[in-house]
Amino acid sequence: MNRRASERRAVPGALAREARISAFPLRRLCAYLGLGLLVLVSYGRLAGGLGAGWPGTPFDFIAIDDPDYVSSNSRVQAGLTAAGVRWAFGRPQAGNWHPLTWLSLMLDCQMFGPNPAALHAVNLALHLANAWLLLLVLERMTGRLGISFCAAALWAVHPLRVESVAWISERKDVLSTCFALLALLAYERYARRPSIGRYLPIVGCFALSLLAKQMWVTLPFVLLLVDYWPLGRAAAPAPVDSRYPSRTWRRLWLEKLPLLGLSLGFSLVIYYVQQTAGAMGDVGKLAWGPRLANVLVGYGMYLAKSFWPTRLAIMYRYPSAGHDAALVVLGSLALLGTTVLAVVGRRRWPWLFVGWCWFVGMLFPVSGVVPIGSHAWADRYSYAPQIGLAIAFVWSAAAVWRRLETRVPPLIGRAAPAALLALGLIPLGILCSRQVSRWQSTERLFAHTIAVTDENDELELTLAGYLATHQQPAAAEARYRAILRKRPKSIVARLEFATFLIPQARFDEAAGLVEEALRQQPDNAAARSRLGAIRLLQNRPADAVTEYETAIRLRPDWAPPRNDLAWLLATHPAAEVRSPTRAVELAESACRLTGRQDPSLLDTLAAAQAAAEQWEQAIRTGAEAASLARGQGNKALAAEIAARVALYERRLPVRSP
């Protein structure tokens, strides 16, 4: 035995881990630079058009969520302002409460304007930071640079990551994970020498992660898993010379109580927000049997796409006929079989147990047991959970290779790991880059999704609407007609098509579509309200009033028909149609329903008050509406309202043309 080998054997386990971390700084630098290069090569085209010298075609906003988050959100586009901060921390927006994500997007707009290339670049930078943080966390906890690099690289360039990185609205994914990984890094430091001073950064980073997105509510349980392995704080399977002082399970649970309190609080918040926003969707309407089947199939799909990442899509709809029984059985076997293997082998293969529980546990809140959204599953939900799967896979592969290493020639033994790593990462990188390219535009992304999924009516309608608003009316109409041929009883499709026809002054055809929808569902409030708008355009105000009143009766807690009818009764040029008292009543109720936070509704109330000759109230309400519009960054609306306030000051009402 040579001297170097003797010294290496003499170093106890904990000191050996420290030695591995501090040794070979050039090797460590190459690992981090190599990981960064992999990420940039796989995702680099996202920043196309960012500036001079950066290759590629610019990526645009996507028609789902991006308008709510940036492209049509005047609050965000106004940048970081005191009013914007209050708005971000106030009422839930876009069916979520994630103030830190709003502040992040506001900061981007403050620095770069609402430039999609810059916003994509920031998402990419955060993902790169997450890849480096994951490598650092794994390296510090295990002392294994090479294996940690493999796990971080496998996770970072996997095609399932693309949705979270390429979708500007998913800033919440990359941002929350960044703070969660910082919390894990702080926890590793705390575990070596526990103290309040070292515990507080964990709480702070965890809180910031939850303020960006509540995906990491299971972090306290993840910390218990890493206590078991690789930190070994729970005694088994820790070496006796561990750097991390051992604790009883009771003590480990107790130290997680503040974090569990945060998890519980934020879980209740997001459940309330999703429920009140009506975001539970189709899965939320399922009985427990079909819902459980969806959970089992979902786990199976996440596993399948982890190992065979093809036919990825922005939306996977729940099948109208339910899941095939064979898929439910396969999903059950995969989930149950791997869980049994991980639990039984937890002492021999602790990494498999920890990684699998990380994957299953983090996916559970978004698995559909508590329904969120209208999808069956989503690629973005795998962003954080698949870290556990990468750990389980890579450390298990390393354990298998250690057994095989002694049976192959030394030259092959040294070259084989690098060759196998390249064999895995190169195809993943190619698939990742190809998936990134599909996010270049709404049209390209939606067309791909429609091609690889079934029953995606909602996305087909969104694509048709996108084409209509981007000067492609012929293509949009063809899409609408194709959807109706395929789904002739789709009420939503008929209403969307009718809305498309209105700006073209094809009122009779639009009315026919809505009337057919009402024959199928006479108590559809949205259809009644849409028909009211069409009747007004057909110069049939009495019929419009009837339809609006019916919509209000069918759905009394819905503000839009109240607002539309109030405007009609306050501003119609025919005196026999106007009813100022009823207009004020309707407009006041619409404002109450929205908490007086919608400047357009306040504008209608001011017009109704002016019609009723309540001039002072009209001036005050109009000023409130204009101020609110300016605070939201909507200068054009504020100017329109100010012009109407000038009329009220001259004791003149508003009259529609």
Side-chain angles (χ1 to χ4, degrees), residues 429-457:
I430 293 171
L431 288 172
C432 179
S433 181
R434 186 178 299 171
Q435 184 66 13
V436 166
S437 69
R438 292 172 180 137
W439 283 80
Q440 192 166 20
S441 70
T442 295
E443 188 173 356
R444 186 171 183 178
L445 176 65
F446 286 12
H448 167 74
T449 299
I450 292 166
V452 300
T453 60
D454 299 319
E455 300 186 38
N456 233 322
D457 299 358

PDB file of all heavy atoms in Angstrom, residues 429-457:
ATOM      1  N   GLY A 429     -30.037  16.482 -23.340  1.00  0.00           N
ATOM      2  CA  GLY A 429     -29.799  17.854 -23.764  1.00  0.00           C
ATOM      3  C   GLY A 429     -30.426  18.161 -25.112  1.00  0.00           C
ATOM      4  O   GLY A 429     -30.993  19.243 -25.316  1.00  0.00           O
ATOM      5  N   ILE A 430     -30.346  17.211 -26.038  1.00  0.00           N
ATOM      6  CA  ILE A 430     -30.950  17.403 -27.365  1.00  0.00           C
ATOM      7  C   ILE A 430     -32.465  17.499 -27.254  1.00  0.00           C
ATOM      8  O   ILE A 430     -33.100  18.386 -27.839  1.00  0.00           O
ATOM      9  CB  ILE A 430     -30.532  16.257 -28.308  1.00  0.00           C
ATOM     10  CG1 ILE A 430     -29.028  16.334 -28.607  1.00  0.00           C
ATOM     11  CG2 ILE A 430     -31.336  16.300 -29.603  1.00  0.00           C
ATOM     12  CD1 ILE A 430     -28.485  15.127 -29.353  1.00  0.00           C
ATOM     13  N   LEU A 431     -33.065  16.577 -26.485  1.00  0.00           N
ATOM     14  CA  LEU A 431     -34.514  16.610 -26.294  1.00  0.00           C
ATOM     15  C   LEU A 431     -34.948  17.892 -25.581  1.00  0.00           C
ATOM     16  O   LEU A 431     -35.990  18.474 -25.892  1.00  0.00           O
ATOM     17  CB  LEU A 431     -34.970  15.388 -25.497  1.00  0.00           C
ATOM     18  CG  LEU A 431     -34.924  14.038 -26.222  1.00  0.00           C
ATOM     19  CD1 LEU A 431     -35.215  12.907 -25.247  1.00  0.00           C
ATOM     20  CD2 LEU A 431     -35.924  14.014 -27.377  1.00  0.00           C
ATOM     21  N   CYS A 432     -34.140  18.327 -24.614  1.00  0.00           N
ATOM     22  CA  CYS A 432     -34.442  19.552 -23.881  1.00  0.00           C
ATOM     23  C   CYS A 432     -34.432  20.756 -24.826  1.00  0.00           C
ATOM     24  O   CYS A 432     -35.357  21.570 -24.822  1.00  0.00           O
ATOM     25  CB  CYS A 432     -33.412  19.738 -22.771  1.00  0.00           C
ATOM     26  SG  CYS A 432     -33.643  21.230 -21.801  1.00  0.00           S
ATOM     27  N   SER A 433     -33.389  20.859 -25.647  1.00  0.00           N
ATOM     28  CA  SER A 433     -33.288  21.974 -26.592  1.00  0.00           C
ATOM     29  C   SER A 433     -34.442  21.956 -27.590  1.00  0.00           C
ATOM     30  O   SER A 433     -34.997  23.004 -27.935  1.00  0.00           O
ATOM     31  CB  SER A 433     -31.950  21.906 -27.328  1.00  0.00           C
ATOM     32  OG  SER A 433     -31.810  22.975 -28.220  1.00  0.00           O
ATOM     33  N   ARG A 434     -34.831  20.757 -28.029  1.00  0.00           N
ATOM     34  CA  ARG A 434     -35.949  20.640 -28.971  1.00  0.00           C
ATOM     35  C   ARG A 434     -37.258  21.082 -28.314  1.00  0.00           C
ATOM     36  O   ARG A 434     -38.080  21.766 -28.928  1.00  0.00           O
ATOM     37  CB  ARG A 434     -36.052  19.197 -29.451  1.00  0.00           C
ATOM     38  CG  ARG A 434     -37.091  18.969 -30.538  1.00  0.00           C
ATOM     39  CD  ARG A 434     -37.088  17.520 -30.978  1.00  0.00           C
ATOM     40  NE  ARG A 434     -35.800  17.131 -31.532  1.00  0.00           N
ATOM     41  CZ  ARG A 434     -35.469  15.876 -31.838  1.00  0.00           C
ATOM     42  NH1 ARG A 434     -36.337  14.895 -31.624  1.00  0.00           N
ATOM     43  NH2 ARG A 434     -34.288  15.603 -32.344  1.00  0.00           N
ATOM     44  N   GLN A 435     -37.430  20.699 -27.041  1.00  0.00           N
ATOM     45  CA  GLN A 435     -38.647  21.108 -26.332  1.00  0.00           C
ATOM     46  C   GLN A 435     -38.655  22.619 -26.098  1.00  0.00           C
ATOM     47  O   GLN A 435     -39.710  23.261 -26.185  1.00  0.00           O
ATOM     48  CB  GLN A 435     -38.751  20.363 -24.993  1.00  0.00           C
ATOM     49  CG  GLN A 435     -40.010  20.633 -24.204  1.00  0.00           C
ATOM     50  CD  GLN A 435     -41.278  20.124 -24.887  1.00  0.00           C
ATOM     51  OE1 GLN A 435     -41.218  19.357 -25.843  1.00  0.00           O
ATOM     52  NE2 GLN A 435     -42.420  20.573 -24.401  1.00  0.00           N
ATOM     53  N   VAL A 436     -37.501  23.196 -25.810  1.00  0.00           N
ATOM     54  CA  VAL A 436     -37.405  24.650 -25.640  1.00  0.00           C
ATOM     55  C   VAL A 436     -37.877  25.363 -26.900  1.00  0.00           C
ATOM     56  O   VAL A 436     -38.606  26.358 -26.840  1.00  0.00           O
ATOM     57  CB  VAL A 436     -35.960  25.060 -25.290  1.00  0.00           C
ATOM     58  CG1 VAL A 436     -35.774  26.571 -25.444  1.00  0.00           C
ATOM     59  CG2 VAL A 436     -35.609  24.651 -23.868  1.00  0.00           C
ATOM     60  N   SER A 437     -37.489  24.851 -28.073  1.00  0.00           N
ATOM     61  CA  SER A 437     -37.837  25.512 -29.335  1.00  0.00           C
ATOM     62  C   SER A 437     -39.349  25.584 -29.539  1.00  0.00           C
ATOM     63  O   SER A 437     -39.841  26.483 -30.225  1.00  0.00           O
ATOM     64  CB  SER A 437     -37.183  24.782 -30.510  1.00  0.00           C
ATOM     65  OG  SER A 437     -37.770  23.502 -30.710  1.00  0.00           O
ATOM     66  N   ARG A 438     -40.084  24.652 -28.944  1.00  0.00           N
ATOM     67  CA  ARG A 438     -41.542  24.649 -29.109  1.00  0.00           C
ATOM     68  C   ARG A 438     -42.210  25.775 -28.330  1.00  0.00           C
ATOM     69  O   ARG A 438     -43.387  26.071 -28.550  1.00  0.00           O
ATOM     70  CB  ARG A 438     -42.101  23.294 -28.675  1.00  0.00           C
ATOM     71  CG  ARG A 438     -41.678  22.170 -29.618  1.00  0.00           C
ATOM     72  CD  ARG A 438     -42.065  20.804 -29.105  1.00  0.00           C
ATOM     73  NE  ARG A 438     -41.643  19.773 -30.042  1.00  0.00           N
ATOM     74  CZ  ARG A 438     -41.069  18.612 -29.698  1.00  0.00           C
ATOM     75  NH1 ARG A 438     -40.861  18.341 -28.415  1.00  0.00           N
ATOM     76  NH2 ARG A 438     -40.695  17.743 -30.611  1.00  0.00           N
ATOM     77  N   TRP A 439     -41.471  26.396 -27.423  1.00  0.00           N
ATOM     78  CA  TRP A 439     -42.022  27.487 -26.622  1.00  0.00           C
ATOM     79  C   TRP A 439     -41.752  28.851 -27.248  1.00  0.00           C
ATOM     80  O   TRP A 439     -41.957  29.880 -26.609  1.00  0.00           O
ATOM     81  CB  TRP A 439     -41.430  27.445 -25.212  1.00  0.00           C
ATOM     82  CG  TRP A 439     -42.046  26.378 -24.366  1.00  0.00           C
ATOM     83  CD1 TRP A 439     -41.755  25.048 -24.381  1.00  0.00           C
ATOM     84  CD2 TRP A 439     -43.077  26.551 -23.394  1.00  0.00           C
ATOM     85  NE1 TRP A 439     -42.535  24.375 -23.474  1.00  0.00           N
ATOM     86  CE2 TRP A 439     -43.356  25.276 -22.849  1.00  0.00           C
ATOM     87  CE3 TRP A 439     -43.774  27.645 -22.922  1.00  0.00           C
ATOM     88  CZ2 TRP A 439     -44.318  25.082 -21.871  1.00  0.00           C
ATOM     89  CZ3 TRP A 439     -44.729  27.456 -21.940  1.00  0.00           C
ATOM     90  CH2 TRP A 439     -44.991  26.185 -21.420  1.00  0.00           C
ATOM     91  N   GLN A 440     -41.327  28.869 -28.493  1.00  0.00           N
ATOM     92  CA  GLN A 440     -40.968  30.129 -29.136  1.00  0.00           C
ATOM     93  C   GLN A 440     -42.174  31.036 -29.349  1.00  0.00           C
ATOM     94  O   GLN A 440     -42.072  32.257 -29.271  1.00  0.00           O
ATOM     95  CB  GLN A 440     -40.281  29.848 -30.471  1.00  0.00           C
ATOM     96  CG  GLN A 440     -39.619  31.053 -31.086  1.00  0.00           C
ATOM     97  CD  GLN A 440     -38.680  30.648 -32.204  1.00  0.00           C
ATOM     98  OE1 GLN A 440     -38.777  29.560 -32.765  1.00  0.00           O
ATOM     99  NE2 GLN A 440     -37.766  31.524 -32.541  1.00  0.00           N
ATOM    100  N   SER A 441     -43.319  30.442 -29.609  1.00  0.00           N
ATOM    101  CA  SER A 441     -44.533  31.231 -29.831  1.00  0.00           C
ATOM    102  C   SER A 441     -45.745  30.435 -29.378  1.00  0.00           C
ATOM    103  O   SER A 441     -45.692  29.198 -29.290  1.00  0.00           O
ATOM    104  CB  SER A 441     -44.677  31.610 -31.305  1.00  0.00           C
ATOM    105  OG  SER A 441     -44.975  30.453 -32.079  1.00  0.00           O
ATOM    106  N   THR A 442     -46.825  31.137 -29.115  1.00  0.00           N
ATOM    107  CA  THR A 442     -48.076  30.489 -28.724  1.00  0.00           C
ATOM    108  C   THR A 442     -48.546  29.522 -29.798  1.00  0.00           C
ATOM    109  O   THR A 442     -48.959  28.390 -29.499  1.00  0.00           O
ATOM    110  CB  THR A 442     -49.153  31.551 -28.467  1.00  0.00           C
ATOM    111  OG1 THR A 442     -48.765  32.340 -27.341  1.00  0.00           O
ATOM    112  CG2 THR A 442     -50.503  30.916 -28.187  1.00  0.00           C
ATOM    113  N   GLU A 443     -48.516  29.969 -31.036  1.00  0.00           N
ATOM    114  CA  GLU A 443     -49.024  29.136 -32.121  1.00  0.00           C
ATOM    115  C   GLU A 443     -48.258  27.828 -32.218  1.00  0.00           C
ATOM    116  O   GLU A 443     -48.851  26.747 -32.351  1.00  0.00           O
ATOM    117  CB  GLU A 443     -48.930  29.908 -33.443  1.00  0.00           C
ATOM    118  CG  GLU A 443     -49.602  29.202 -34.609  1.00  0.00           C
ATOM    119  CD  GLU A 443     -49.652  30.053 -35.858  1.00  0.00           C
ATOM    120  OE1 GLU A 443     -49.221  31.234 -35.799  1.00  0.00           O
ATOM    121  OE2 GLU A 443     -50.118  29.548 -36.885  1.00  0.00           O
ATOM    122  N   ARG A 444     -46.943  27.909 -32.129  1.00  0.00           N
ATOM    123  CA  ARG A 444     -46.127  26.694 -32.246  1.00  0.00           C
ATOM    124  C   ARG A 444     -46.342  25.764 -31.052  1.00  0.00           C
ATOM    125  O   ARG A 444     -46.473  24.547 -31.215  1.00  0.00           O
ATOM    126  CB  ARG A 444     -44.650  27.090 -32.347  1.00  0.00           C
ATOM    127  CG  ARG A 444     -43.718  25.926 -32.605  1.00  0.00           C
ATOM    128  CD  ARG A 444     -42.321  26.401 -32.920  1.00  0.00           C
ATOM    129  NE  ARG A 444     -41.444  25.289 -33.245  1.00  0.00           N
ATOM    130  CZ  ARG A 444     -40.170  25.420 -33.595  1.00  0.00           C
ATOM    131  NH1 ARG A 444     -39.634  26.626 -33.699  1.00  0.00           N
ATOM    132  NH2 ARG A 444     -39.442  24.362 -33.857  1.00  0.00           N
ATOM    133  N   LEU A 445     -46.373  26.333 -29.853  1.00  0.00           N
ATOM    134  CA  LEU A 445     -46.543  25.520 -28.650  1.00  0.00           C
ATOM    135  C   LEU A 445     -47.906  24.844 -28.632  1.00  0.00           C
ATOM    136  O   LEU A 445     -48.018  23.645 -28.349  1.00  0.00           O
ATOM    137  CB  LEU A 445     -46.381  26.401 -27.416  1.00  0.00           C
ATOM    138  CG  LEU A 445     -46.632  25.719 -26.071  1.00  0.00           C
ATOM    139  CD1 LEU A 445     -45.600  24.638 -25.809  1.00  0.00           C
ATOM    140  CD2 LEU A 445     -46.633  26.748 -24.938  1.00  0.00           C
ATOM    141  N   PHE A 446     -48.961  25.598 -28.934  1.00  0.00           N
ATOM    142  CA  PHE A 446     -50.307  25.039 -28.881  1.00  0.00           C
ATOM    143  C   PHE A 446     -50.510  23.990 -29.970  1.00  0.00           C
ATOM    144  O   PHE A 446     -51.162  22.966 -29.738  1.00  0.00           O
ATOM    145  CB  PHE A 446     -51.342  26.146 -29.017  1.00  0.00           C
ATOM    146  CG  PHE A 446     -51.488  27.002 -27.789  1.00  0.00           C
ATOM    147  CD1 PHE A 446     -50.578  26.941 -26.756  1.00  0.00           C
ATOM    148  CD2 PHE A 446     -52.553  27.884 -27.663  1.00  0.00           C
ATOM    149  CE1 PHE A 446     -50.707  27.724 -25.624  1.00  0.00           C
ATOM    150  CE2 PHE A 446     -52.703  28.667 -26.532  1.00  0.00           C
ATOM    151  CZ  PHE A 446     -51.778  28.594 -25.522  1.00  0.00           C
ATOM    152  N   ALA A 447     -49.991  24.258 -31.163  1.00  0.00           N
ATOM    153  CA  ALA A 447     -50.129  23.284 -32.251  1.00  0.00           C
ATOM    154  C   ALA A 447     -49.461  21.965 -31.873  1.00  0.00           C
ATOM    155  O   ALA A 447     -50.000  20.877 -32.131  1.00  0.00           O
ATOM    156  CB  ALA A 447     -49.526  23.839 -33.532  1.00  0.00           C
ATOM    157  N   HIS A 448     -48.297  22.046 -31.239  1.00  0.00           N
ATOM    158  CA  HIS A 448     -47.612  20.826 -30.787  1.00  0.00           C
ATOM    159  C   HIS A 448     -48.432  20.104 -29.720  1.00  0.00           C
ATOM    160  O   HIS A 448     -48.603  18.876 -29.780  1.00  0.00           O
ATOM    161  CB  HIS A 448     -46.233  21.184 -30.224  1.00  0.00           C
ATOM    162  CG  HIS A 448     -45.590  20.068 -29.455  1.00  0.00           C
ATOM    163  ND1 HIS A 448     -45.047  18.956 -30.060  1.00  0.00           N
ATOM    164  CD2 HIS A 448     -45.448  19.872 -28.113  1.00  0.00           C
ATOM    165  CE1 HIS A 448     -44.579  18.133 -29.136  1.00  0.00           C
ATOM    166  NE2 HIS A 448     -44.814  18.665 -27.942  1.00  0.00           N
ATOM    167  N   THR A 449     -48.950  20.857 -28.759  1.00  0.00           N
ATOM    168  CA  THR A 449     -49.724  20.242 -27.678  1.00  0.00           C
ATOM    169  C   THR A 449     -50.972  19.554 -28.207  1.00  0.00           C
ATOM    170  O   THR A 449     -51.302  18.432 -27.796  1.00  0.00           O
ATOM    171  CB  THR A 449     -50.105  21.309 -26.631  1.00  0.00           C
ATOM    172  OG1 THR A 449     -48.909  21.865 -26.084  1.00  0.00           O
ATOM    173  CG2 THR A 449     -50.941  20.705 -25.518  1.00  0.00           C
ATOM    174  N   ILE A 450     -51.673  20.216 -29.115  1.00  0.00           N
ATOM    175  CA  ILE A 450     -52.883  19.633 -29.701  1.00  0.00           C
ATOM    176  C   ILE A 450     -52.545  18.351 -30.455  1.00  0.00           C
ATOM    177  O   ILE A 450     -53.319  17.379 -30.442  1.00  0.00           O
ATOM    178  CB  ILE A 450     -53.565  20.659 -30.625  1.00  0.00           C
ATOM    179  CG1 ILE A 450     -54.138  21.817 -29.779  1.00  0.00           C
ATOM    180  CG2 ILE A 450     -54.672  20.018 -31.449  1.00  0.00           C
ATOM    181  CD1 ILE A 450     -54.527  23.027 -30.585  1.00  0.00           C
ATOM    182  N   ALA A 451     -51.349  18.319 -31.073  1.00  0.00           N
ATOM    183  CA  ALA A 451     -50.943  17.151 -31.855  1.00  0.00           C
ATOM    184  C   ALA A 451     -50.604  15.944 -30.977  1.00  0.00           C
ATOM    185  O   ALA A 451     -50.792  14.801 -31.399  1.00  0.00           O
ATOM    186  CB  ALA A 451     -49.746  17.498 -32.736  1.00  0.00           C
ATOM    187  N   VAL A 452     -50.123  16.188 -29.741  1.00  0.00           N
ATOM    188  CA  VAL A 452     -49.652  15.071 -28.916  1.00  0.00           C
ATOM    189  C   VAL A 452     -50.598  14.731 -27.770  1.00  0.00           C
ATOM    190  O   VAL A 452     -50.308  13.825 -26.979  1.00  0.00           O
ATOM    191  CB  VAL A 452     -48.231  15.351 -28.357  1.00  0.00           C
ATOM    192  CG1 VAL A 452     -47.241  15.557 -29.489  1.00  0.00           C
ATOM    193  CG2 VAL A 452     -48.232  16.544 -27.404  1.00  0.00           C
ATOM    194  N   THR A 453     -51.721  15.447 -27.646  1.00  0.00           N
ATOM    195  CA  THR A 453     -52.682  15.152 -26.581  1.00  0.00           C
ATOM    196  C   THR A 453     -54.076  14.991 -27.165  1.00  0.00           C
ATOM    197  O   THR A 453     -54.328  15.332 -28.317  1.00  0.00           O
ATOM    198  CB  THR A 453     -52.704  16.280 -25.523  1.00  0.00           C
ATOM    199  OG1 THR A 453     -53.080  17.510 -26.157  1.00  0.00           O
ATOM    200  CG2 THR A 453     -51.353  16.446 -24.858  1.00  0.00           C
ATOM    201  N   ASP A 454     -54.980  14.485 -26.343  1.00  0.00           N
ATOM    202  CA  ASP A 454     -56.372  14.281 -26.757  1.00  0.00           C
ATOM    203  C   ASP A 454     -57.289  15.191 -25.938  1.00  0.00           C
ATOM    204  O   ASP A 454     -56.977  15.577 -24.816  1.00  0.00           O
ATOM    205  CB  ASP A 454     -56.782  12.821 -26.545  1.00  0.00           C
ATOM    206  CG  ASP A 454     -55.937  11.861 -27.377  1.00  0.00           C
ATOM    207  OD1 ASP A 454     -55.655  12.192 -28.540  1.00  0.00           O
ATOM    208  OD2 ASP A 454     -55.557  10.794 -26.850  1.00  0.00           O
ATOM    209  N   GLU A 455     -58.451  15.498 -26.513  1.00  0.00           N
ATOM    210  CA  GLU A 455     -59.514  16.228 -25.824  1.00  0.00           C
ATOM    211  C   GLU A 455     -59.034  17.551 -25.227  1.00  0.00           C
ATOM    212  O   GLU A 455     -59.409  17.926 -24.116  1.00  0.00           O
ATOM    213  CB  GLU A 455     -60.125  15.352 -24.714  1.00  0.00           C
ATOM    214  CG  GLU A 455     -60.734  14.059 -25.226  1.00  0.00           C
ATOM    215  CD  GLU A 455     -61.448  13.290 -24.127  1.00  0.00           C
ATOM    216  OE1 GLU A 455     -62.090  13.932 -23.272  1.00  0.00           O
ATOM    217  OE2 GLU A 455     -61.365  12.057 -24.118  1.00  0.00           O
ATOM    218  N   ASN A 456     -58.216  18.277 -25.983  1.00  0.00           N
ATOM    219  CA  ASN A 456     -57.697  19.541 -25.473  1.00  0.00           C
ATOM    220  C   ASN A 456     -58.480  20.708 -26.055  1.00  0.00           C
ATOM    221  O   ASN A 456     -57.919  21.637 -26.647  1.00  0.00           O
ATOM    222  CB  ASN A 456     -56.203  19.668 -25.807  1.00  0.00           C
ATOM    223  CG  ASN A 456     -55.382  19.962 -24.559  1.00  0.00           C
ATOM    224  OD1 ASN A 456     -55.826  20.704 -23.691  1.00  0.00           O
ATOM    225  ND2 ASN A 456     -54.200  19.392 -24.481  1.00  0.00           N
ATOM    226  N   ASP A 457     -59.802  20.677 -25.881  1.00  0.00           N
ATOM    227  CA  ASP A 457     -60.677  21.705 -26.452  1.00  0.00           C
ATOM    228  C   ASP A 457     -60.315  23.099 -25.965  1.00  0.00           C
ATOM    229  O   ASP A 457     -60.321  24.065 -26.739  1.00  0.00           O
ATOM    230  CB  ASP A 457     -62.134  21.416 -26.085  1.00  0.00           C
ATOM    231  CG  ASP A 457     -62.613  20.080 -26.631  1.00  0.00           C
ATOM    232  OD1 ASP A 457     -61.820  19.424 -27.321  1.00  0.00           O
ATOM    233  OD2 ASP A 457     -63.765  19.715 -26.362  1.00  0.00           O
TER     234      ASP A 457
END
